[in-house]
Amino acid sequence: MLKVTFNVLRPLGQLEAQRNHRYTFAEVAELSGLSRQTVRNIMRKPPQQIDVDTVAALLAFFAAEGMPIGVGQLFDVITPPDNAPTPG
């Protein structure tokens, strides 16, 4: 079974390296139109479920900052080894 986790830190780190600028929670919130609390929460502890409007706001943020990304870049997908036991 695949494991999918939300991960905004990886593309944000790439953007920070590209722009040579560290983004604060407040700055990401202001530039994306999301609340500071939402940004803080998704960066500190990735949610199990993510609202599509939040995903859209993050995609728009990255595009506006000069690093357009695809929705897949906000997620990590882990495939277990072939010999891993299947649950159930």
Side-chain angles (χ1 to χ4, degrees):
M1 175 182 250
L2 294 176
K3 180 176 180 176
V4 179
T5 56
F6 183 72
N7 184 355
V8 73
L9 294 177
R10 184 177 20 83
L12 184 61
Q14 293 168 345
L15 176 62
E16 289 176 339
Q18 178 181 323
R19 303 281 314 262
N20 195 28
H21 173 76
R22 182 150 164 71
Y23 290 86
T24 64
F25 295 146
E27 191 174 11
V28 173
E30 181 181 332
L31 294 171
S32 67
L34 297 169
S35 73
R36 282 188 197 186
Q37 183 173 353
T38 296
V39 172
R40 185 180 319 114
N41 289 344
I42 63 176
M43 288 189 186
R44 287 195 174 156
K45 185 172 190 252
Q48 291 296 315
Q49 298 178 354
I50 188 79
D51 184 85
V52 293
D53 291 335
T54 300
V55 171
L58 290 169
L59 294 175
F61 161 75
F62 283 102
E65 292 301 296
M67 191 183 95
I69 64 171
V71 72
Q73 290 172 278
L74 291 173
F75 296 90
D76 291 331
V77 179
I78 301 166
T79 306
D82 288 339
N83 60 355
T86 55

